[in-house]
Amino acid sequence: MKNFTYQNGTKIIFGKDTELQVGSLLKEYTNKVLFHYGGGSIKKTGLYDKVVRSLREAGIDFVELPGVKPNPRVSLVRKGIEICRKNNIDFILAVGGGSVIDSSKAIAAGVNYNGDVWDLFLGTPIKHNCLKVATILTIPAAGSETSSGTVITNEEGLYKRSTGHPKLRPIFSIMNPELTFTLPKYQTSCGIADMFAHIMERYFTNEANVDLTDRLCEGTMKAIIENALRLNNNPKDYNARAEIMLAGMVAHNGSLGMGRIEDWASHDIEHELSGIYDIAHGAGLSIVFPAWMKFVYKRNINRFAQFANRVFNIDININNLEETALAGITALENFFTEIGLPTRLSHVNIDDSHIEEMANKLVAHREHAGNFIEIRANEASQILKLAL
Amino acid sequence: MKNFTYQNGTKIIFGKDTELQVGSLLKEYTNKVLFHYGGGSIKKTGLYDKVVRSLREAGIDFVELPGVKPNPRVSLVRKGIEICRKNNIDFILAVGGGSVIDSSKAIAAGVNYNGDVWDLFLGTPIKHNCLKVATILTIPAAGSETSSGTVITNEEGLYKRSTGHPKLRPIFSIMNPELTFTLPKYQTSCGIADMFAHIMERYFTNEANVDLTDRLCEGTMKAIIENALRLNNNPKDYNARAEIMLAGMVAHNGSLGMGRIEDWASHDIEHELSGIYDIAHGAGLSIVFPAWMKFVYKRNINRFAQFANRVFNIDININNLEETALAGITALENFFTEIGLPTRLSHVNIDDSHIEEMANKLVAHREHAGNFIEIRANEASQILKLAL
């Protein structure tokens, strides 16, 4: 186990009707917020009205900035920064999924930065003060509700890049599983692939002697699988929605990575994919991750066999661990398929025409991706070909 | 799953040599601390000298208060409160195990309270400001290094009572597994029983649909069992020490109880036991918990069968779940025995002479203990008799 530092002070307010507390919770910190959200869905479901009423009741003034799209754009972030500066806003309320929260964090990071916010996604460290962020989560997926990171897409060149800082962790996050009842099946499943991938990025490590976090990762993946299959049958199963929502938070609050060297190559490769093709991040991950696994499993067959055995209940073939390891990868693909996700580029009509471009962009601002095995352009290209 | 609120902002600094950072970490908050510890062990191991050096290098003034004993006493807490008031101290550095940390938290809670600190352990809520606490942990057991609670013994009447408040969570906790190398085997095992019990107090719930936290509890218990047995063979196994230390924190940081109704009857009964007999808390738990399990398992045989199956790998006998449930309790007793712990009162030379007294004291300041089944004097007496 590696030495590590861990801190995550985000307050979770979890359960039915908790969104009604947003005004009184905010009142402890501020009298004015940027109310940042996506499109019409929170208006259709009535969440918008509930939030506005709660803000008004608590006497919280707000400026609205709707329009966040999946794979959130730096142009809207720049607009948000201008609004906050002009209106002296020091707190952002994000109501939505990971894209809205990430957009909010980027605005929070950019307001007091003396330069273009995109710099912060290209390596300039965040040393200045950031605005505070709180969230009402509507899509369990990104884990951004308690994480310190944000991922933004720059439309010029279609680069998708991340940054992060502990001060970008939300002050509080409201999580009501009922708010996810109306999520379409595909979007639910994309969220499940995203949280599952967040765990696997931590699970596949060369660091030895990480028994406890192995078990926590495995247990979280098992709970996700069980409850994802329940949602397949009944999307309004409160208990299954609650388990998935909680799992999305646990998957990315940092606790599953304590003492481990994390990987993140699959995420980085997927960012190139959704940067160019604008597919859902979760769908990109359900395609890229199995391909990455096939490319790297020989580096640590024991770990992949353990994954197969403990997460998918596959018996270990002691005389042929490779068989067990491969069965685990197949089981993961079957799980993704069962919940309606693509597992090949061809399933989303992507051919090989941009593979070299994506592979080269992957290393445009970094030496390599990943840690389990270092992934450079050549390796990325092979992984993407395995995903065709 | 129940609605819940969760927040734990304690910063964990984990790994080799991390105690050397204590001065610079404190410097961010204060220039003067109460340096609170137990007896000679931190002097013998050299930890005392390292701490003093780090404090001096950072320019942190300190007043020492040694003398914390296992089952820490309110008399020393009162002394600490006086020292802090007299010296205008607003930060307490606890160097030791749960007893030292709990004593520090009690002092932190008492300094600004206008009355006797024991009131806070008898139901007076903590509404005033508390001092800040940070810890260097030397005994993985109580989980007090990130928890919000503290347990103190009042010598007058030998009452052992707890209180807690989110503001009593330590600001930071330094956890170096090497500092636990010198712990005697019995003390190591008592700590293991304590953390295991912290998980079981959360695990045995009547709340349904708690899949994820079930899995997290089960995974943490499995990791504890594996590594406890490793320490049986080699007490200087860094990796096993690290797993146990991390598990002790996870067991009691609150995350395993998210959305669950917790029990705590076994802890409360054990507090009566160690209140009167001054035995180690962990040894009391390895005696009381199996007895409590035998008394209550019929309330939810499925849950006890799941425990047997998922924690101790016992096959489920679908035609006789009670058999599986009982096998799980036996497996737990065997585990405790294997790591050198008592599982009967007779193993620590306690007879039935104070059973009624303990059973009555249990409900002296509360209506009942526990939630899985409500435990009053009559039930407590039966449980203690099962433990003879």
Side-chain angles (χ1 to χ4, degrees):
Chain A
M1 195 191 302
K2 269 180 63 200
N3 279 18
F4 68 90
T5 299
Y6 177 74
Q7 184 174 36
N8 188 336
T10 301
K11 184 174 189 173
I12 305 292
I13 302 99
F14 192 101
K16 291 179 186 176
D17 296 326
T18 46
E19 68 276 17
L20 305 177
Q21 299 173 40
V22 66
S24 57
L25 284 164
L26 283 169
K27 197 66 186 173
E28 207 180 308
Y29 302 96
T30 189
N31 292 312
K32 186 154 73 173
V33 299
L34 180 74
F35 175 12
H36 197 29
Y37 57 96
S41 71
I42 69 165
K43 295 198 173 167
K44 236 184 299 179
T45 61
L47 177 59
Y48 174 88
D49 291 333
K50 284 186 196 168
V51 171
V52 166
R53 201 176 314 130
S54 179
L55 294 177
R56 294 221 170 107
E57 279 171 9
I60 309 262
D61 198 9
F62 58 91
V63 179
E64 289 184 48
L65 179 60
V68 181
K69 297 210 170 80
N71 302 320
R73 314 303 154 100
V74 73
S75 54
L76 192 69
V77 170
R78 291 188 183 117
K79 197 169 160 189
I81 290 170
E82 280 315 302
I83 294 174
C84 289
R85 285 178 183 159
K86 207 180 295 175
N87 294 276
N88 276 320
I89 289 174
D90 63 356
F91 204 116
I92 305 172
L93 173 63
V95 181
S99 296
V100 175
I101 302 172
D102 280 6
S103 185
S104 298
K105 287 176 178 174
I107 296 168
V111 171
N112 295 318
Y113 174 64
N114 197 5
D116 180 44
V117 64
W118 189 246
D119 298 347
L120 307 176
F121 291 82
L122 294 180
T124 303
I126 298 174
K127 291 184 175 168
H128 50 281
N129 280 337
C130 296
L131 307 198
K132 290 186 171 64
V133 174
T135 88
I136 299 177
L137 185 66
T138 63
I139 308 174
S144 194
E145 62 274 18
T146 74
S147 81
S148 58
T150 164
V151 183
I152 297 292
T153 296
N154 191 329
E155 300 95 315
E156 297 157 37
L158 294 176
Y159 284 105
K160 195 169 172 182
R161 290 290 178 269
S162 62
T163 187
H165 194 282
K167 51 194 165 185
L168 291 177
R169 287 198 202 273
I171 300 294
F172 64 82
S173 283
I174 291 172
M175 301 168 71
N176 176 358
E178 291 178 315
L179 298 180
T180 70
F181 279 6
T182 52
L183 276 180
K185 181 177 166 178
Y186 187 69
Q187 216 177 341
T188 298
S189 295
C190 284
I192 288 165
D194 194 12
M195 63 184 75
F196 211 92
H198 289 161
I199 303 168
M200 294 194 293
E201 297 284 15
R202 294 173 167 100
Y203 188 75
F204 293 106
T205 183
N206 297 311
E207 185 70 17
N209 305 112
V210 284
D211 298 345
L212 173 57
T213 45
D214 268 3
R215 295 281 183 190
L216 298 177
C217 287
E218 290 152 1
T220 308
M221 288 189 276
K222 281 185 102 104
I224 291 172
I225 294 166
E226 282 169 11
N227 287 284
L229 298 177
R230 278 179 200 138
L231 285 183
N232 248 2
N233 298 322
N234 178 12
K236 304 219 166 168
D237 179 336
Y238 178 85
N239 294 309
R241 287 284 186 189
E243 295 292 334
I244 292 294
M245 193 170 221
L246 188 56
M249 187 276 284
V250 169
H252 204 43
N253 69 2
S255 64
L256 303 188
M258 293 185 296
R260 306 173 78 94
I261 295 167
E262 304 182 1
D263 191 68
W264 298 99
S266 299
H267 261 75
D268 287 336
I269 295 170
E270 195 293 318
H271 287 168
E272 301 312 330
L273 195 59
S274 56
I276 289 187
Y277 290 102
D278 205 19
I279 60 170
H281 177 53
L285 285 166
S286 66
I287 293 165
V288 170
F289 226 116
W292 175 86
M293 293 167 99
K294 291 169 197 164
F295 187 73
V296 306
Y297 76 92
K298 286 185 181 162
R299 172 72 180 79
N300 190 338
I301 287 181
N302 285 11
R303 177 155 287 282
F304 275 85
Q306 179 180 303
F307 170 80
N309 175 250
R310 294 197 189 164
V311 179
F312 286 102
N313 304 317
I314 294 165
D315 282 340
I316 286 186
N317 181 344
I318 300 173
N319 301 312
N320 191 342
L321 285 177
E322 184 168 4
E323 185 186 285
T324 311
L326 289 171
I329 300 171
T330 301
L332 176 68
E333 289 184 314
N334 290 344
F335 167 61
F336 284 152
T337 302
E338 195 164 347
I339 60 172
L341 292 172
T343 55
R344 295 288 183 282
L345 289 168
S346 57
H347 297 168
V348 289
N349 302 315
I350 293 175
D351 63 15
D352 62 357
S353 56
H354 290 278
I355 283 184
E356 299 311 320
E357 182 188 344
M358 292 188 279
N360 288 324
K361 281 174 81 174
L362 178 74
V363 288
H365 305 120
R366 59 169 81 86
E367 203 184 315
H368 65 86
N371 288 306
F372 190 75
I373 282 181
E374 294 183 359
I375 304 292
R376 292 179 171 73
N378 175 34
E379 289 81 13
S381 158
Q382 291 183 63
I383 290 167
L384 286 164
K385 283 175 189 156
L386 281 171
L388 279 169
Chain B
M1 196 192 301
K2 269 179 63 199
N3 279 18
F4 68 89
T5 298
Y6 178 74
Q7 184 174 34
N8 188 335
T10 301
K11 184 174 189 174
I12 305 292
I13 302 99
F14 193 101
K16 291 179 186 175
D17 297 326
T18 45
E19 69 275 18
L20 305 178
Q21 300 174 40
V22 66
S24 56
L25 285 163
L26 283 169
K27 197 67 187 174
E28 207 180 307
Y29 302 95
T30 189
N31 291 312
K32 187 157 62 170
V33 298
L34 181 73
F35 174 12
H36 198 30
Y37 57 95
S41 72
I42 69 163
K43 294 200 172 165
K44 235 183 301 178
T45 60
L47 177 57
Y48 174 89
D49 290 334
K50 282 185 195 168
V51 170
V52 167
R53 200 177 314 129
S54 178
L55 294 177
R56 293 219 170 108
E57 279 171 11
I60 309 264
D61 199 8
F62 58 92
V63 180
E64 288 184 48
L65 179 61
V68 182
K69 296 207 169 82
N71 303 319
R73 316 303 154 99
V74 73
S75 54
L76 191 70
V77 169
R78 292 191 182 114
K79 196 170 162 187
I81 290 170
E82 279 316 301
I83 294 174
C84 288
R85 286 179 181 158
K86 206 180 295 174
N87 294 275
N88 276 319
I89 289 174
D90 64 356
F91 204 116
I92 305 173
L93 173 63
V95 181
S99 297
V100 174
I101 301 171
D102 280 6
S103 185
S104 299
K105 287 177 179 174
I107 296 169
V111 170
N112 295 318
Y113 174 64
N114 197 5
D116 180 45
V117 64
W118 188 246
D119 299 347
L120 306 175
F121 291 82
L122 294 180
T124 304
I126 298 173
K127 290 183 174 169
H128 51 281
N129 281 336
C130 297
L131 308 198
K132 290 186 170 67
V133 174
T135 88
I136 299 177
L137 184 67
T138 62
I139 309 175
S144 193
E145 62 273 18
T146 73
S147 81
S148 58
T150 162
V151 183
I152 296 292
T153 295
N154 191 329
E155 300 95 316
E156 297 158 34
L158 296 176
Y159 284 104
K160 194 168 173 182
R161 290 291 177 269
S162 61
T163 189
H165 194 282
K167 49 192 165 187
L168 291 178
R169 286 198 203 273
I171 300 295
F172 64 81
S173 284
I174 290 172
M175 302 167 72
N176 176 358
E178 291 179 315
L179 299 180
T180 71
F181 279 5
T182 52
L183 275 181
K185 180 176 167 179
Y186 187 68
Q187 215 177 343
T188 299
S189 295
C190 284
I192 287 165
D194 194 13
M195 62 183 75
F196 211 91
H198 288 162
I199 303 168
M200 294 194 294
E201 297 283 16
R202 294 174 166 100
Y203 188 75
F204 292 106
T205 183
N206 297 312
E207 186 70 18
N209 305 113
V210 284
D211 299 345
L212 174 56
T213 45
D214 268 2
R215 294 281 184 193
L216 298 178
C217 288
E218 290 152 0
T220 308
M221 288 189 276
K222 281 185 101 106
I224 290 172
I225 294 166
E226 283 169 10
N227 287 283
L229 298 177
R230 277 179 201 139
L231 285 183
N232 249 2
N233 299 323
N234 177 13
K236 303 219 165 166
D237 179 335
Y238 178 85
N239 294 309
R241 288 283 187 190
E243 294 292 335
I244 291 294
M245 193 169 220
L246 188 57
M249 187 276 284
V250 169
H252 204 43
N253 69 3
S255 62
L256 302 188
M258 291 184 299
R260 306 173 78 94
I261 296 167
E262 305 182 1
D263 190 69
W264 297 100
S266 300
H267 261 74
D268 288 335
I269 296 171
E270 195 293 317
H271 286 168
E272 300 312 330
L273 194 60
S274 55
I276 288 188
Y277 290 102
D278 205 20
I279 60 171
H281 177 53
L285 286 166
S286 66
I287 293 166
V288 170
F289 226 118
W292 174 86
M293 294 166 100
K294 290 169 199 165
F295 187 73
V296 306
Y297 76 92
K298 286 185 179 160
R299 172 72 181 80
N300 192 336
I301 288 180
N302 285 12
R303 178 155 286 283
F304 276 86
Q306 179 180 304
F307 170 81
N309 176 250
R310 294 196 189 164
V311 179
F312 285 103
N313 303 317
I314 294 165
D315 281 341
I316 286 186
N317 181 344
I318 300 174
N319 301 310
N320 191 341
L321 285 178
E322 185 169 3
E323 185 186 283
T324 312
L326 289 170
I329 300 172
T330 302
L332 176 67
E333 290 184 313
N334 291 344
F335 167 61
F336 284 152
T337 302
E338 195 164 349
I339 60 173
L341 291 173
T343 56
R344 295 290 184 281
L345 288 169
S346 57
H347 297 169
V348 289
N349 302 316
I350 293 176
D351 62 17
D352 62 357
S353 56
H354 290 278
I355 283 185
E356 298 311 319
E357 182 188 344
M358 291 188 280
N360 289 323
K361 280 173 80 174
L362 178 74
V363 288
H365 304 120
R366 59 169 81 85
E367 204 185 315
H368 65 87
N371 290 306
F372 190 74
I373 284 183
E374 294 183 359
I375 304 292
R376 292 179 173 74
N378 175 35
E379 289 80 14
S381 159
Q382 291 181 64
I383 290 168
L384 286 165
K385 282 174 189 156
L386 281 171
L388 280 169

Coordinates of all heavy atoms in Angstrom, one line a residue, chain B residues 200-239:
Chain B
M200 N -20.2 -4.6 12.7 CA -21.3 -5.5 13.0 C -22.5 -4.7 13.6 O -23.7 -5.0 13.3 CB -21.0 -6.6 13.9 CG -20.0 -7.6 13.2 SD -19.8 -9.2 14.1 CE -19.0 -8.7 15.6
E201 N -22.1 -3.6 14.4 CA -23.2 -2.8 14.9 C -24.0 -2.1 13.8 O -25.2 -1.8 14.0 CB -22.6 -1.7 15.8 CG -21.8 -2.2 17.0 CD -22.7 -2.6 18.2 OE1 -23.9 -2.9 18.0 OE2 -22.2 -2.7 19.3
R202 N -23.4 -1.9 12.7 CA -24.0 -1.3 11.5 C -24.7 -2.4 10.6 O -25.7 -2.2 10.0 CB -23.1 -0.5 10.7 CG -22.6 0.7 11.5 CD -21.5 1.5 10.8 NE -21.3 2.8 11.4 CZ -20.3 3.1 12.3 NH1 -19.4 2.2 12.6 NH2 -20.3 4.3 12.8
Y203 N -24.0 -3.6 10.6 CA -24.4 -4.6 9.7 C -25.7 -5.3 10.1 O -26.6 -5.5 9.2 CB -23.3 -5.7 9.6 CG -23.6 -6.7 8.6 CD1 -23.3 -6.4 7.2 CD2 -24.0 -8.0 8.9 CE1 -23.5 -7.4 6.2 CE2 -24.2 -9.0 7.9 CZ -24.0 -8.6 6.6 OH -24.2 -9.6 5.6
F204 N -25.9 -5.5 11.4 CA -27.1 -6.2 11.8 C -28.2 -5.1 12.0 O -28.3 -4.5 13.1 CB -26.8 -7.0 13.1 CG -25.9 -8.2 12.8 CD1 -24.6 -8.2 13.1 CD2 -26.4 -9.2 12.0 CE1 -23.8 -9.2 12.8 CE2 -25.6 -10.3 11.6 CZ -24.3 -10.3 12.0
T205 N -29.0 -4.9 11.0 CA -30.0 -3.9 10.9 C -31.3 -4.6 10.4 O -31.2 -5.6 9.7 CB -29.6 -2.8 10.0 OG1 -30.6 -1.8 10.0 CG2 -29.4 -3.3 8.5
N206 N -32.4 -4.0 10.7 CA -33.6 -4.5 10.1 C -34.0 -3.7 8.9 O -35.0 -4.0 8.2 CB -34.8 -4.4 11.1 CG -34.5 -5.3 12.3 OD1 -34.2 -6.5 12.1 ND2 -34.7 -4.8 13.5
E207 N -33.2 -2.7 8.6 CA -33.4 -1.9 7.4 C -33.2 -2.8 6.2 O -32.1 -3.4 6.0 CB -32.5 -0.7 7.4 CG -32.7 0.3 6.3 CD -34.0 1.1 6.4 OE1 -34.6 1.1 7.5 OE2 -34.5 1.7 5.4
A208 N -34.1 -2.9 5.2 CA -33.9 -3.7 4.0 C -33.3 -2.8 2.9 O -33.2 -1.6 3.1 CB -35.2 -4.3 3.6
N209 N -32.9 -3.4 1.8 CA -32.4 -2.7 0.7 C -31.2 -1.8 1.0 O -31.2 -0.6 0.8 CB -33.5 -1.9 0.1 CG -34.7 -2.8 -0.3 OD1 -35.8 -2.6 0.3 ND2 -34.6 -3.7 -1.2
V210 N -30.2 -2.5 1.5 CA -29.0 -1.7 1.8 C -27.8 -2.5 1.3 O -26.8 -2.8 1.9 CB -28.8 -1.6 3.4 CG1 -29.7 -0.5 3.9 CG2 -29.1 -2.9 4.1
D211 N -28.0 -2.9 0.0 CA -27.0 -3.8 -0.7 C -25.6 -3.3 -0.7 O -24.7 -4.0 -0.4 CB -27.4 -4.0 -2.2 CG -28.8 -4.6 -2.4 OD1 -29.3 -5.1 -1.4 OD2 -29.3 -4.5 -3.5
L212 N -25.4 -2.0 -1.1 CA -24.1 -1.5 -1.2 C -23.4 -1.4 0.1 O -22.2 -1.9 0.3 CB -24.1 -0.1 -1.8 CG -22.7 0.6 -1.9 CD1 -21.7 -0.2 -2.6 CD2 -22.8 2.0 -2.5
T213 N -24.0 -0.9 1.2 CA -23.3 -0.8 2.5 C -23.2 -2.2 3.1 O -22.2 -2.5 3.8 CB -24.1 0.1 3.4 OG1 -25.5 -0.1 3.3 CG2 -23.8 1.6 3.0
D214 N -24.1 -3.2 2.8 CA -23.8 -4.6 3.1 C -22.5 -5.0 2.5 O -21.7 -5.6 3.2 CB -24.9 -5.5 2.5 CG -26.1 -5.7 3.5 OD1 -26.1 -5.1 4.6 OD2 -27.0 -6.4 3.1
R215 N -22.3 -4.8 1.3 CA -21.1 -5.3 0.6 C -19.9 -4.6 1.2 O -18.8 -5.2 1.3 CB -21.2 -5.0 -0.9 CG -22.3 -5.7 -1.6 CD -21.9 -7.1 -1.9 NE -22.9 -7.9 -2.7 CZ -22.9 -9.2 -2.9 NH1 -21.9 -9.9 -2.4 NH2 -23.8 -9.8 -3.6
L216 N -20.0 -3.3 1.4 CA -18.8 -2.6 2.0 C -18.5 -3.1 3.4 O -17.3 -3.3 3.7 CB -19.1 -1.1 2.1 CG -19.4 -0.4 0.7 CD1 -19.7 1.1 1.0 CD2 -18.2 -0.5 -0.2
C217 N -19.5 -3.4 4.2 CA -19.3 -4.0 5.5 C -18.6 -5.4 5.4 O -17.6 -5.7 6.0 CB -20.6 -4.2 6.3 SG -21.4 -2.6 6.9
E218 N -19.2 -6.2 4.5 CA -18.7 -7.6 4.4 C -17.2 -7.5 3.8 O -16.4 -8.3 4.3 CB -19.6 -8.3 3.4 CG -21.0 -8.6 3.9 CD -22.1 -8.8 2.9 OE1 -21.8 -8.6 1.7 OE2 -23.2 -9.0 3.3
G219 N -17.0 -6.7 2.9 CA -15.6 -6.6 2.3 C -14.6 -6.1 3.4 O -13.5 -6.7 3.5
T220 N -15.0 -5.2 4.2 CA -14.1 -4.7 5.3 C -13.9 -5.8 6.3 O -12.7 -6.0 6.7 CB -14.7 -3.4 5.9 OG1 -15.0 -2.5 4.9 CG2 -13.7 -2.8 6.9
M221 N -14.9 -6.5 6.7 CA -14.7 -7.6 7.6 C -13.8 -8.7 7.0 O -12.9 -9.2 7.7 CB -16.1 -8.2 8.0 CG -16.9 -7.3 8.9 SD -18.4 -8.0 9.7 CE -19.6 -7.7 8.4
K222 N -14.0 -9.0 5.8 CA -13.1 -10.1 5.1 C -11.7 -9.6 5.1 O -10.8 -10.4 5.4 CB -13.6 -10.3 3.7 CG -14.8 -11.2 3.5 CD -15.1 -11.5 2.1 CE -14.6 -12.8 1.7 NZ -15.7 -13.9 1.5
A223 N -11.4 -8.3 4.8 CA -10.1 -7.8 4.8 C -9.5 -7.9 6.2 O -8.3 -8.1 6.4 CB -10.0 -6.4 4.2
I224 N -10.3 -7.6 7.2 CA -9.8 -7.6 8.6 C -9.4 -9.1 9.0 O -8.3 -9.3 9.5 CB -10.9 -7.1 9.6 CG1 -11.0 -5.6 9.4 CG2 -10.5 -7.4 11.0 CD1 -12.2 -5.0 10.2
I225 N -10.3 -10.0 8.7 CA -10.0 -11.4 9.0 C -8.7 -11.9 8.4 O -7.8 -12.4 9.1 CB -11.1 -12.3 8.6 CG1 -12.4 -12.0 9.3 CG2 -10.8 -13.8 8.7 CD1 -13.7 -12.6 8.8
E226 N -8.5 -11.7 7.1 CA -7.3 -12.1 6.4 C -6.1 -11.5 7.0 O -5.1 -12.2 7.2 CB -7.4 -11.6 4.9 CG -8.2 -12.4 4.0 CD -8.4 -11.7 2.6 OE1 -7.7 -10.7 2.4 OE2 -9.3 -12.1 1.9
N227 N -6.1 -10.2 7.3 CA -4.9 -9.6 7.8 C -4.7 -9.8 9.2 O -3.5 -9.7 9.7 CB -4.9 -8.1 7.4 CG -4.7 -7.9 5.9 OD1 -3.6 -8.1 5.4 ND2 -5.7 -7.7 5.1
A228 N -5.7 -10.0 10.0 CA -5.5 -10.3 11.4 C -4.8 -11.6 11.5 O -3.9 -11.8 12.4 CB -6.9 -10.4 12.1
L229 N -5.1 -12.6 10.7 CA -4.5 -13.9 10.7 C -3.0 -13.8 10.3 O -2.1 -14.5 10.8 CB -5.2 -14.9 9.9 CG -6.7 -15.2 10.4 CD1 -7.4 -16.1 9.4 CD2 -6.7 -15.7 11.8
R230 N -2.8 -12.9 9.4 CA -1.4 -12.6 9.0 C -0.6 -12.1 10.1 O 0.6 -12.4 10.3 CB -1.3 -11.6 7.8 CG -1.5 -12.3 6.5 CD -1.5 -11.3 5.3 NE -2.2 -12.0 4.2 CZ -3.0 -11.4 3.4 NH1 -3.2 -10.1 3.5 NH2 -3.6 -12.1 2.4
L231 N -1.2 -11.2 10.9 CA -0.5 -10.6 12.0 C -0.2 -11.6 13.1 O 0.8 -11.5 13.9 CB -1.2 -9.4 12.6 CG -1.2 -8.1 11.8 CD1 -2.0 -7.0 12.5 CD2 0.2 -7.7 11.5
N232 N -1.0 -12.6 13.2 CA -0.8 -13.7 14.1 C 0.6 -14.3 13.9 O 1.2 -14.7 14.8 CB -1.9 -14.8 13.9 CG -2.8 -15.0 15.0 OD1 -2.8 -14.2 16.0 ND2 -3.7 -15.9 14.9
N233 N 0.9 -14.4 12.6 CA 2.2 -15.0 12.3 C 3.4 -14.1 12.3 O 4.5 -14.4 12.6 CB 2.1 -15.7 10.9 CG 1.1 -16.7 10.8 OD1 0.9 -17.5 11.8 ND2 0.4 -16.8 9.7
N234 N 3.1 -12.8 11.9 CA 4.2 -11.8 11.8 C 3.7 -10.4 12.2 O 3.2 -9.7 11.4 CB 4.7 -11.9 10.4 CG 5.8 -10.8 10.2 OD1 6.3 -10.2 11.2 ND2 6.2 -10.6 9.0
P235 N 3.9 -10.0 13.5 CA 3.4 -8.7 13.9 C 4.1 -7.5 13.2 O 3.6 -6.4 13.4 CB 3.6 -8.8 15.4 CG 4.6 -9.8 15.7 CD 4.5 -10.8 14.6
K236 N 5.2 -7.8 12.6 CA 5.8 -6.7 11.9 C 5.6 -6.7 10.4 O 6.3 -6.1 9.6 CB 7.3 -6.7 12.2 CG 7.6 -6.6 13.7 CD 8.8 -5.8 14.0 CE 8.8 -5.5 15.5 NZ 10.0 -5.0 16.1
D237 N 4.5 -7.3 9.9 CA 4.1 -7.3 8.5 C 3.5 -5.9 8.2 O 2.4 -5.7 8.6 CB 3.1 -8.5 8.3 CG 2.6 -8.5 6.9 OD1 2.6 -7.5 6.2 OD2 2.2 -9.6 6.5
Y238 N 4.3 -5.1 7.6 CA 3.8 -3.7 7.3 C 2.4 -3.7 6.6 O 1.5 -3.0 6.9 CB 4.8 -2.9 6.5 CG 4.3 -1.5 6.2 CD1 4.5 -0.5 7.1 CD2 3.6 -1.2 5.0 CE1 4.0 0.8 6.9 CE2 3.1 0.1 4.8 CZ 3.3 1.1 5.7 OH 2.8 2.3 5.4
N239 N 2.3 -4.6 5.6 CA 1.1 -4.5 4.8 C -0.1 -5.0 5.6 O -1.2 -4.3 5.5 CB 1.3 -5.5 3.5 CG 2.4 -4.9 2.6 OD1 2.3 -3.7 2.2 ND2 3.3 -5.7 2.3

